């Protein structure tokens, strides 16, 4: 390695400026006789706001979610990625709900037979989830004979206990996912007796709610 | 001589099974549509459990097994039953009222439902008992053709 002899000229070719050097740190730019001090502030990202200040960032080995633990997929909507965090929350929107009530006409139901109580058809958009429920009351029936079934989209989703002849409300609910198009929800009275039975009067209602996820 | 008598006590604790339980029953009806995320039945002949009286329980759908033609149901004993008070109203009808079901009754209701499930009866026997027809599934028939 060569040595610099006497009389050799030192030429500095630094191009940093004070604003590019951390405050409290010193450097020589282009004049060996001029010692400069940096003025760049040390700053940080904080969870309290979304400021991204100019300056020197020390960084965090834990990443941004170490600075704000709320930065997690569980707080972000599905399909959205924020700073590399993919969302897992299914947002529900386009909610439509309606109930339908019917006064079932009186009549005879054969042994093992059934009559439709309330039937409704709804059109839901693609990717919807559907919630269905029903309530029913029946008068002048005999206990241990009638039960009420709930159907959503052509599949039995529930059945009540025996419906007594005293006014009472019975609720069943069901959840069906990823539907689209025409959906039928209905409830029916089923006669479990070995003989025909009369339904003198009954009221029933179905409730259907759909939402996109 | 002192004789120590060893007295053994036994504490009998009656435990009842969970009030909710699951059973599997055969199904009937006609399959209308099958997609990766949806199974639909015909509105006029929906997919449903066979015509079998499970007694004083209500049921909720859990899952559907088209391959084995079974439906899994959550079974819950009813909270109240109607009883005859012995009184007669002005129209000559018996006056009935509600009462709460006892834990023993709830246990019995569950057992009754289990007796009519695939846990304790064969599929053939249940179809015969109910008089329900087998599930109509053209998708399965086409796949096996």
């Amino acid at each position: 390695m060569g040595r610099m002899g006497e009389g050799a000229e030192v030429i500095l070719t630094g191009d940093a400026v004070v604003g590019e050097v951390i405050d409290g740190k010193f450097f020589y730019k282009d004049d060996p006789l001029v010692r400069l001090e940096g003025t760049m502030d040390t700053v940080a990202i904080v969870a309290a706001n979304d400021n991204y200040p100019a300056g020197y960032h020390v960084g965090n080995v834990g990443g941004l979610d170490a600075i704000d633990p709320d930065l997690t997929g569980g707080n972000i909507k599905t399909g959205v990625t924020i700073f590399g965090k993919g969302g897992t929350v299914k947002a529900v929107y386009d909610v439509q709900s309606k109930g339908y009530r019917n006064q079932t006409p009186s009549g005879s139901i054969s042994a093992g037979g059934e009559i439709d109580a309330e039937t409704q058809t709804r059109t839901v958009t693609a990717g919807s989830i559907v919630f269905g429920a029903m309530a029913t009351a029946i008068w002048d029936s005999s206990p241990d004979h009638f039960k009420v079934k709930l159907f959503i989209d052509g599949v039995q989703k529930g059945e009540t206990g025996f419906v007594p002849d005293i006014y009472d409300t019975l609720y069943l609910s069901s959840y069906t996912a990823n539907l689209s198009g025409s959906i039928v929800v209905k409830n029916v009275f089923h006669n479990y007796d070995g003989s025909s039975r009369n339904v003198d009067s009954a009221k029933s209602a179905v409730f259907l709610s759909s939402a996109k996820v | 001589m002192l004789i120590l008598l060893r007295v053994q006590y036994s504490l009998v604790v009656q435990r009842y099974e969970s009030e909710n339980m699951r059973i599997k029953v055969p199904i009937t009806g006609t399959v209308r549509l099958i997609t990766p995320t949806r199974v639909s039945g015909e509105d006029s002949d929906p997919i449903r459990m066979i015509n079998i009286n499970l007694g004083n329980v209500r049921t909720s759908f859990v899952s559907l097994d088209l391959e084995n033609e079974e439906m899994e149901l959550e079974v819950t004993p009813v909270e109240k039953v109607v009883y005859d008070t012995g009184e007669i109203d002005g129209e000559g009808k018996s006056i009935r009222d509600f009462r709460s079901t006892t834990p023993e009754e709830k246990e019995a209701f569950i057992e009754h439902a289990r007796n009519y499930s695939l846990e304790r009866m064969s599929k053939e026997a249940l179809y015969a008992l109910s008089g329900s027809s087998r599930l109509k599934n053209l998708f399965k028939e086409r796949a096996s053709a």
Side-chain angles (χ1 to χ4, degrees):
Chain A
M1 187 172 73
R3 292 176 57 185
M4 197 161 56
E6 286 186 11
E9 182 181 8
V10 177
I11 299 174
L12 300 180
T13 60
D15 61 354
V17 296
V18 293
E20 297 171 344
V21 178
I22 297 173
D23 182 21
K25 298 296 182 182
F26 298 87
F27 69 103
Y28 294 87
K29 181 173 182 292
D30 50 14
D31 186 343
L33 299 180
V34 177
R35 184 169 177 257
L36 299 171
E37 180 180 2
T39 61
M40 183 191 299
D41 292 329
T42 298
V43 294
I45 297 172
V46 295
N49 55 61
D50 63 351
N51 297 337
Y52 189 21
Y56 173 70
H57 289 262
V58 176
N60 190 316
V61 294
L64 290 176
D65 51 344
I67 297 173
D68 190 346
D70 287 337
L71 182 62
T72 173
N75 289 331
I76 302 171
K77 191 174 75 171
T78 298
V80 174
T81 299
I82 299 177
F83 287 117
K85 298 292 183 182
T88 59
V89 176
K90 293 190 175 183
V92 177
Y93 59 100
D94 193 23
V95 178
Q96 301 178 51
S97 302
K98 193 167 184 179
Y100 307 89
R101 194 187 71 168
N102 186 30
Q103 177 79 40
T104 306
S106 58
S108 175
I109 308 178
S110 61
E114 51 191 36
I115 57 171
D116 289 356
E118 172 66 51
T119 302
Q120 287 294 327
T121 303
R122 290 286 306 278
T123 299
V124 299
T125 54
S128 292
I129 56 174
V130 173
F131 302 89
M134 72 170 186
T136 189
I138 185 170
W139 286 269
D140 296 330
S141 77
S142 300
D144 303 337
H145 294 143
F146 295 108
K147 289 190 176 185
V148 188
K149 298 174 186 272
L150 172 66
F151 293 93
I152 299 177
D153 199 25
V155 180
Q156 180 179 332
K157 295 298 185 182
E159 184 179 62
T160 69
F162 292 109
V163 185
D165 62 350
I166 304 169
Y167 178 77
D168 196 11
T169 53
L170 304 167
Y171 296 93
L172 287 178
S173 63
S174 181
Y175 162 83
T176 310
N178 296 321
L179 301 182
S180 65
S182 178
I183 305 296
V184 175
V185 59
K186 70 175 184 179
N187 55 358
V188 301
F189 291 104
H190 187 99
N191 178 15
Y192 277 104
D193 193 49
S195 305
S196 295
R197 289 286 174 178
N198 287 330
V199 177
D200 290 329
S201 63
K203 286 186 179 179
S204 66
V206 293
F207 173 80
L208 186 64
S209 179
S210 64
K212 285 211 68 177
V213 175
Chain B
M1 181 171 67
L2 181 64
I3 299 175
L4 293 176
L5 297 178
R6 185 178 176 182
V7 180
Q8 186 175 8
Y9 292 95
S10 61
L11 179 64
V12 178
V13 178
Q14 269 194 316
R15 294 189 180 275
Y16 296 98
E17 291 184 9
S18 169
E19 286 192 357
N20 291 352
M21 58 153 287
R22 294 184 174 183
I23 62 172
K24 290 185 179 181
V25 294
I27 53 177
T28 184
T30 301
V31 178
R32 181 180 70 88
L33 174 72
I34 297 178
T35 72
T37 59
R38 178 182 179 183
V39 174
S40 300
E42 289 288 351
D43 295 332
S44 59
D45 189 26
I47 300 169
R48 59 198 185 279
M49 58 175 277
I50 54 173
N51 184 21
I52 203 101
N53 186 351
L54 295 178
N56 282 306
V57 296
R58 64 178 184 272
T59 61
S60 295
F61 171 88
V62 174
S63 65
L64 194 61
D65 182 352
L66 291 183
E67 182 65 31
N68 295 308
E69 300 178 7
E70 299 172 3
M71 180 181 282
E72 188 176 20
L73 305 172
E74 179 99 355
V75 179
T76 307
V78 297
E79 295 292 331
K80 294 181 179 180
V81 289
V82 174
Y83 72 99
D84 198 329
T85 64
E87 300 175 20
I88 306 295
D89 65 13
E91 297 177 0
K93 290 183 179 179
S94 298
I95 298 176
R96 291 190 281 264
D97 199 355
F98 286 106
R99 66 165 177 83
S100 297
T101 48
T102 65
E104 293 83 359
E105 286 176 322
K106 291 180 180 178
E107 184 81 6
F109 295 158
I110 291 289
E111 281 301 295
H112 177 88
R114 292 175 75 179
N115 287 337
Y116 292 97
S117 72
L118 289 167
E119 180 184 335
R120 297 185 179 169
M121 289 183 69
S122 69
K123 190 172 294 182
E124 291 70 28
L126 284 168
Y127 274 115
L129 183 65
S130 66
S132 298
S133 58
R134 301 295 291 249
L135 180 73
K136 300 178 189 65
N137 186 355
L138 292 181
F139 300 92
K140 184 178 181 180
E141 291 170 15
R142 287 173 197 159
S144 59

